[in-house]
Amino acid sequence: MLGTLVRATGIGRRLTMESFVARADQAEQLVATLRNRLGTLRGLVEQEEIQRLTAENEALVKEIEAAKQRLRDAETKAGKKQVPLPGEAGYVAPPPPAALTTAEISAATKGSAVAQGQANIKSKSTESDKTKKQEEPSTPKPKSKPEKAKSGGGGAKKGTETSAEDDVTVFDLRVGLVVTAKPHPESDKLYIEDVDVGEPERRTILSGLNGRVPLDSMQNRPVVIMCNLKPQKMAGIESCGMVMCADNGTACEPLDPPPGTSPGDVISFPGISAPDKLPVAPNRVQKKKLLQKILPDLHVNAKGVACYKETPFTVEGKGTCSVKTVTDSPVK
């Protein structure tokens, strides 16, 4: 009986050890499986991240290309010639430089040698002259009496300076669209206008038209905007431009662009505007007092056409700017 019990106990111990070993093997297999699954999940996450970053990169590239195209369009409207860069459509590579012939190389070598010889001779001559001057005794020069400035136009006169900035092309005049207009809460003379001038963001422009132009006529209205004025606060709100109007002191009417124009279209002046005559910076308009110089030459003629002197405000290919009622008036 005792022997049977001992044998049974031994068998139980062997079974327990075998079950522990089997469970350990199962645990290792489970850990290996989990590691494989974890690696697969990491790979999927990394692939999704790569796809997301690739999509973002493609979107950024498209945004950059769109911004570059808008810049090209704006420069083209302003009269700037576009030159394709390497890698862009229309780019023409310059021809490779032609190889020099033996005769050209020989002539260039001879010319270089001659030039070097002349330089050496000149250098020696200069040194010789310096030596002679050092050896010669110096004699004091007689003092000449200072000449009195001649009156009556004998001397140089300080004349008035003329500038190429004395015509209307210094101004950045564009078609604008007053999207909305509302009265200024603290001024009974001002409108606050939200204006599209073809830029990524609209401009806030304040105009002294309250009481002179009906508010409802300023809603969604095409106008002409002077865009390169230095921002200026009016009744506590910054204004970034000026609505151009015919104003005879009694009546006032904003200039109408020709039909078919869009915000940002450039106002030009046939025979005066040119690709090399670009609008100046806002601080230069203020510093040179260009408004005071040029505004007196802006007017509306008897036919209602807005002009600089006798040249009409023109949107190329679309027509001239005008008013319906306030004719024979200054433009302000």
Side-chain angles (χ1 to χ4, degrees):
M1 185 69 179
L2 182 58
T4 302
L5 182 59
V6 170
R7 285 195 300 272
T9 303
I11 291 169
R13 287 178 179 174
R14 284 197 301 274
L15 289 174
T16 303
M17 290 299 296
E18 288 174 358
S19 63
F20 282 157
V21 170
R23 288 180 182 177
D25 291 341
Q26 290 176 356
E28 287 181 359
Q29 290 175 1
L30 181 59
V31 169
T33 302
L34 291 174
R35 283 177 179 171
N36 289 335
R37 289 183 179 177
L38 183 59
T40 303
L41 289 173
R42 284 178 179 171
L44 291 173
V45 171
E46 289 175 357
Q47 187 63 31
E48 289 178 357
E49 183 68 11
I50 290 170
Q51 290 175 354
R52 185 183 67 80
L53 292 174
T54 302
E56 287 182 1
N57 187 52
E58 291 175 353
L60 287 173
V61 169
K62 289 180 180 178
E63 287 180 11
I64 291 169
E65 289 301 322
K68 287 166 68 177
Q69 187 59 47
R70 288 196 297 272
L71 178 60
R72 291 191 197 99
D73 293 343
E75 289 181 339
T76 301
K77 286 182 180 178
K80 281 190 176 181
K81 184 179 179 182
Q82 299 297 311
V83 179
L85 298 175
E88 295 181 345
Y91 173 72
V92 179
L100 294 175
T101 64
T102 305
E104 288 173 335
I105 294 172
S106 176
T109 305
K110 287 180 181 179
S112 177
V114 170
Q116 184 63 39
Q118 290 176 346
N120 291 339
I121 292 171
K122 187 176 181 180
S123 176
K124 289 179 180 179
S125 176
T126 304
E127 290 177 359
S128 176
D129 291 343
K130 285 182 180 179
T131 304
K132 287 180 180 180
K133 286 181 180 180
Q134 290 174 355
E135 292 174 354
E136 290 175 357
S138 60
T139 55
K141 293 182 180 180
K143 293 183 179 180
S144 59
K145 293 182 180 180
E147 294 184 1
K148 292 183 179 179
K150 295 181 181 179
S151 61
K157 289 184 178 180
K158 188 178 180 180
T160 55
E161 194 176 278
T162 59
S163 170
E165 294 179 343
D166 288 340
D167 68 45
V168 71
T169 59
V170 300
F171 296 138
D172 182 5
L173 292 165
R174 294 185 230 162
V175 174
L177 178 68
V178 178
V179 180
T180 59
K182 61 183 179 182
H184 194 295
E186 297 179 6
S187 172
D188 57 0
K189 295 182 179 180
L190 296 175
Y191 284 150
I192 303 172
E193 297 141 353
D194 186 26
V195 186
D196 181 0
V197 291
E199 297 171 339
E201 295 183 1
R202 296 175 187 167
R203 294 192 182 199
T204 297
I205 296 177
L206 277 73
S207 301
L209 303 178
N210 194 350
R212 307 194 69 198
V213 178
L215 182 61
D216 58 353
S217 71
M218 293 297 294
Q219 310 300 324
N220 202 37
R221 176 172 187 156
V223 291
V224 174
I225 300 292
M226 185 178 291
C227 294
N228 60 334
L229 296 179
K230 195 170 183 180
Q232 180 178 348
K233 280 197 173 182
M234 302 173 70
I237 297 177
E238 190 171 71
S239 177
C240 300
M242 181 167 69
V243 178
M244 306 303 291
C245 300
D247 188 348
N248 60 14
T250 303
C252 180
E253 182 180 356
L255 301 185
D256 290 324
T261 56
S262 302
D265 284 351
V266 176
I267 309 296
S268 61
F269 299 85
I272 300 173
S273 299
D276 60 337
K277 297 173 77 174
L278 300 177
V280 300
N283 60 345
R284 196 169 185 81
V285 173
Q286 183 179 31
K287 183 178 179 181
K288 296 291 185 179
K289 298 182 179 179
L290 298 178
L291 277 176
Q292 295 88 324
K293 289 181 181 179
I294 300 169
L295 273 184
D297 291 323
L298 306 183
H299 66 101
V300 171
N301 63 21
K303 295 181 179 179
V305 177
C307 298
Y308 165 67
K309 297 182 179 179
E310 302 305 321
T311 305
F313 287 49
T314 304
V315 178
E316 189 174 354
K318 296 177 182 176
T320 57
C321 302
S322 60
V323 295
K324 297 180 180 65
T325 57
V326 188
T327 59
D328 274 328
S329 301
V331 170
K332 300 178 182 179

